[in-house]
Amino acid sequence: MTDQSLPDANVLSGLCEIISDPAVVIDAEGVFVDVIHNAHNGALFYRDPETLLGTDLWDVFSTTQADRFYTVIEDALQTGETQRMEYQLSLDGVDRHFEARATPVGGDAGRVVWLAEDITQRKQRQRKQALIERVFEISPVGLVVVEPSGDISTANARAEELLGLEREEITRRRYNQPDWEIYYEDGTPIPESEHPVTRVFESGEPVFGFEHWIELADGTERWLSSNAAPILGDDGDVERVVVGLEDATRLKQREEQLEWLVGTEILADVGGWELDLETGQIGGTAGMRRLYGMPEYNPTLEEAIEQYHPNDRAAVRDAIDTCRETGEPIELEARRKTADETERWFRLRAEKTVRDGTPKLRGIVRDITRDKEREQRIMVMSRILRHNIRNKLTVIRGNTRLLKEELGSSEFTADAARGHIDRIDRASRELDSVAERARTFDRAIERDPRNGTVHLRQALTDVRDALAEQHPEATIEVGTTDAEASGDRMAIDLILDILVENALEYTEPPDPTVELAAEPTSSGQVTVTVDTDESSIPDIERNVLTSETEGPVAHSRGLGLWAVTWLVRRIGGSVTLTEAPDGGTRVELTFPRAREETNAGG
């Protein structure tokens, strides 16, 4: 040391100020003889450092912990070499991890410097890393890590299973080697430029649902769905790419089975469809074209939804959105129009899949119109028997009882008795009318509603003449027409009879006017209109024609409008109800127009 060298005390003082770890000097008896600390590291003693002086290890730590520390000190003094150890302390209720270095100092003085480093964060990082490695290894998804060089640096056990290779074989390859033999569905090899790992390295964006198949070493084919995501460095550059591999073989088999079922049209009245979620375009099988009566079926999603009944569009759209976002399968029933403007019920089923890297919804549609009609008929008939007939019988029984009481009363009057008899007679006739209407409907529905040709001028005139006798106060006008509809005459007569009678019943003026007209349309149909002045059809009855719904309490009064709805649909037509600006009501029927070669049958 030169004359200009600093004194040892100054050097030690400088070291104490810059040292980041606290240190103590402990003698051979385990007594703290000095403390080396500063304002930065003193807090790591978790007590006033000066209070350690003169105490020993057993005063500060548990006996077990103190004995461990003392053994390390002894080893350092005996060997003259630095000893290391890790230990854990619970300080203020928090577990902390430390690494200690005990170094002999002072020659024969028998002392060591105990330097303690808080390694709690390092331990936490190690535990997290161990957890990540464990999750990586036991993941049910095959995982591989690709370096910027293209080398595969890591693979887990599931990747070994899916790729049919040992881990060492996988990590000896690059992701873009021809040895992988990866193909699109049509057998075309996937070029490096379209490989998901290449795309991630170039764009920095993840790639999801990349579907392809590979040929394994044993010659078998395996379908895989790959998701590739970047690991970014602090500068935002892609440092690595993690690829997740899922076995999609069974899914592809299910798709092929579904395609086979749709292609062969095994089930009656079934059609298959597929929605491309990226383009919003729908493609349909021959079964779909047959169900909807179209030469081709490839609408956009919005065009297809517009064909559904206004009350069902929201449900269809919500089901598709939910399946798109969550993968929840679609299963619902909805009404939609076919090419000839006929409204029918369909059951939709679909699930989400990925094909050629494109997410799609694929499903089937079945015509359930007859099933729905049968359900509605059972419901309405049951309600009529339980409600309408019961009400009429209640009126008859009640007035019969009152009539008996009247006849036995000393205050008997013929007018009172006649009133009870009139009410019994009216209820009986209404009951008979309900039964006759039900019988007529049964006969009409059992026939073939689409068979025959109806001269609408004659049909409208016959309805007018029949109802004019029952409603002499009403004016029923029939417009001139030579339009002919394709359908059963009995069914069309019943439809018209119910609608005109219903119009007269709800028209407010004492001398109502009903106008009947028919004319062909350019779309190959015939439109029949029933116009009334100041008609006020109750909402309960309107719901039958507009939404075909009936609540358990607020139900329509009879079978009539339900029969109209069912028969019109069976004929292949539709029925709508609108309000006229003058307060009147228009019911518009649409029937298929009779073909020119069809012989008259009306």
Side-chain angles (χ1 to χ4, degrees):
M1 181 179 295
T2 65
D3 293 340
Q4 287 76 28
S5 298
L6 293 174
D8 290 346
N10 291 337
V11 173
L12 181 60
S13 176
L15 289 174
C16 287
E17 287 304 315
I18 66 173
I19 195 170
S20 61
D21 300 325
V24 293
V25 179
I26 306 174
D27 65 15
E29 302 300 322
V31 176
F32 295 94
V33 296
D34 200 358
V35 179
I36 303 172
H37 71 94
N38 56 38
H40 303 293
N41 60 34
L44 293 181
F45 283 104
Y46 295 96
R47 60 187 293 178
D48 184 355
E50 301 298 334
T51 62
L52 292 174
L53 297 176
T55 64
D56 61 28
L57 296 170
W58 293 269
D59 293 331
V60 178
F61 304 105
S62 67
T63 300
T64 302
Q65 197 80 304
D67 288 344
R68 286 189 63 211
F69 294 162
Y70 188 70
T71 299
V72 173
I73 292 171
E74 281 187 320
D75 291 344
L77 292 175
Q78 289 175 4
T79 63
E81 297 177 354
T82 297
Q83 303 294 315
R84 296 175 178 270
M85 73 171 294
E86 290 185 6
Y87 58 94
Q88 179 179 332
L89 296 177
S90 181
L91 304 171
D92 295 333
V94 178
D95 290 335
R96 309 289 291 183
H97 294 268
F98 296 89
E99 181 181 69
R101 298 189 297 278
T103 303
V105 294
D108 297 330
R111 296 178 178 181
V112 298
V113 172
W114 186 282
L115 190 65
E117 178 185 359
D118 189 332
I119 60 171
T120 303
Q121 292 187 353
R122 184 201 307 169
K123 284 290 187 181
Q124 292 173 343
R125 288 194 298 270
Q126 290 174 347
R127 282 198 296 268
K128 289 180 180 178
Q129 182 63 29
L131 176 61
I132 291 172
E133 292 175 356
R134 182 59 178 160
V135 171
F136 181 88
E137 187 58 33
I138 68 173
S139 170
V141 176
L143 297 173
V144 297
V145 178
V146 182
E147 303 296 325
S149 63
D151 295 326
I152 299 174
S153 59
T154 312
N156 68 354
R158 181 57 175 159
E160 291 182 284
E161 296 176 14
L162 293 177
L163 300 176
L165 297 172
E166 297 293 333
R167 198 167 315 198
E168 293 74 15
E169 295 177 276
I170 297 174
T171 55
R172 283 200 299 266
R173 291 187 180 185
R174 296 166 57 87
Y175 80 89
N176 50 3
Q177 283 184 212
D179 298 355
W180 287 116
E181 297 191 67
I182 61 175
Y183 303 94
Y184 287 120
E185 184 174 18
D186 62 1
T188 304
I190 296 175
E192 181 179 349
S193 61
E194 297 181 20
H195 197 291
V197 173
T198 302
R199 290 160 58 187
V200 173
F201 273 124
E202 291 179 350
S203 68
E205 298 294 330
V207 174
F208 297 110
F210 185 85
E211 204 166 81
H212 59 91
W213 61 270
I214 63 174
E215 184 174 335
L216 302 181
D218 60 5
T220 60
E221 297 176 1
R222 174 165 292 158
W223 276 94
L224 297 174
S225 178
S226 301
N227 299 320
I231 297 177
L232 304 179
D234 295 337
D235 56 1
D237 291 338
V238 179
E239 290 188 345
R240 296 179 182 85
V241 172
V242 177
V243 182
L245 304 171
E246 294 184 85
D247 190 343
T249 305
R250 293 185 63 183
L251 178 60
K252 295 301 294 184
Q253 291 171 345
R254 290 174 59 195
E255 288 179 356
E256 291 172 358
Q257 183 181 28
L258 180 59
E259 289 177 352
W260 179 75
L261 289 173
V262 172
T264 56
E265 303 292 336
I266 291 178
L267 301 176
D269 293 325
V270 170
W273 58 275
E274 182 180 82
L275 167 63
D276 188 313
L277 293 176
E278 292 185 351
T279 65
Q281 200 73 27
I282 298 177
T285 65
M288 290 292 288
R289 297 192 292 272
R290 186 186 69 252
L291 286 177
Y292 295 158
M294 299 176 176
E296 296 294 335
Y297 185 74
N298 56 351
T300 65
L301 175 59
E302 286 305 315
E303 289 171 345
I305 290 178
E306 282 300 312
Q307 293 299 314
Y308 284 91
H309 191 284
N311 292 349
D312 296 337
R313 289 171 191 164
V316 174
R317 185 176 283 107
D318 288 346
I320 290 175
D321 289 343
T322 299
C323 187
R324 181 205 308 263
E325 295 169 6
T326 69
E328 180 180 343
I330 295 173
E331 182 157 1
L332 60 83
E333 297 175 355
R335 293 158 290 178
R336 66 154 288 157
K337 289 184 178 180
T338 58
D340 61 1
E341 295 298 313
T342 303
E343 188 173 87
R344 302 188 67 79
W345 276 95
F346 295 93
R347 177 175 289 121
L348 289 76
R349 291 180 177 176
E351 61 183 14
K352 186 177 181 180
T353 185
V354 177
R355 187 174 184 181
D356 299 336
T358 303
K360 298 185 178 184
L361 299 189
R362 180 177 291 171
I364 59 174
V365 170
R366 186 168 74 88
D367 189 332
I368 59 169
T369 305
R370 287 181 177 256
D371 295 339
K372 297 297 289 188
E373 288 178 351
R374 189 176 300 109
E375 291 174 7
Q376 288 180 333
R377 288 202 298 272
I378 292 173
M379 175 192 69
V380 175
M381 291 294 191
S382 174
R383 193 264 303 156
I384 290 173
L385 292 175
R386 287 186 295 104
H387 181 78
N388 292 37
I389 295 178
R390 181 178 59 191
N391 284 354
K392 302 306 177 187
L393 291 176
T394 299
V395 171
I396 293 172
R397 285 196 298 266
N399 279 277
T400 300
R401 177 178 55 79
L402 293 174
L403 179 59
K404 288 181 179 180
E405 293 175 356
E406 183 69 27
L407 293 174
S409 172
S410 59
E411 300 178 358
F412 169 80
T413 65
D415 288 342
R418 188 177 297 107
H420 294 312
I421 294 172
D422 288 343
R423 284 188 285 275
I424 291 172
D425 180 63
R426 185 165 54 252
S428 299
R429 284 187 282 106
E430 290 175 353
L431 189 59
D432 184 63
S433 176
V434 170
E436 180 58 31
R437 178 62 55 82
R439 286 192 293 270
T440 303
F441 170 72
D442 281 341
R443 289 195 298 269
I445 204 72
E446 290 302 322
R447 294 161 61 95
D448 183 358
R450 293 176 181 263
N451 184 40
T453 298
V454 178
H455 302 284
L456 291 174
R457 168 71 178 179
Q458 185 63 51
L460 295 174
T461 301
D462 290 348
V463 169
R464 179 198 63 187
D465 295 344
L467 292 177
E469 296 180 5
Q470 303 173 28
H471 301 273
E473 76 286 358
T475 300
I476 304 175
E477 300 177 352
V478 177
T480 302
T481 181
D482 58 358
E484 296 180 342
S486 177
D488 180 63
R489 175 63 189 266
M490 176 183 287
I492 291 179
D493 281 351
L494 181 57
I495 292 168
L496 296 173
D497 181 74
I498 292 172
L499 288 177
V500 176
E501 190 174 41
N502 194 78
L504 293 173
E505 179 178 359
Y506 292 114
T507 301
E508 296 179 0
D511 52 348
T513 298
V514 178
E515 297 178 358
L516 306 178
E519 61 180 9
T521 68
S522 59
S523 59
Q525 297 174 315
V526 176
T527 299
V528 177
T529 55
V530 180
D531 289 313
T532 58
D533 53 350
E534 299 184 38
S535 175
S536 180
I537 299 177
D539 290 341
I540 293 174
E541 305 296 335
R542 290 173 180 269
N543 288 339
V544 176
L545 295 179
T546 58
S547 61
E548 302 178 39
T549 59
E550 179 179 47
V553 177
H555 41 241
S556 59
R557 295 170 53 189
L559 177 64
L561 294 182
W562 281 104
V564 169
T565 301
W566 296 326
L567 289 171
V568 167
R569 185 190 296 122
R570 290 288 295 276
I571 290 173
S574 63
V575 56
T576 57
L577 187 149
T578 57
E579 294 288 348
D582 59 0
T585 301
R586 163 172 286 196
V587 178
E588 183 175 289
L589 299 164
T590 301
F591 297 125
R593 191 195 305 178
R595 292 176 303 200
E596 294 181 1
E597 65 271 17
T598 303
N599 295 324

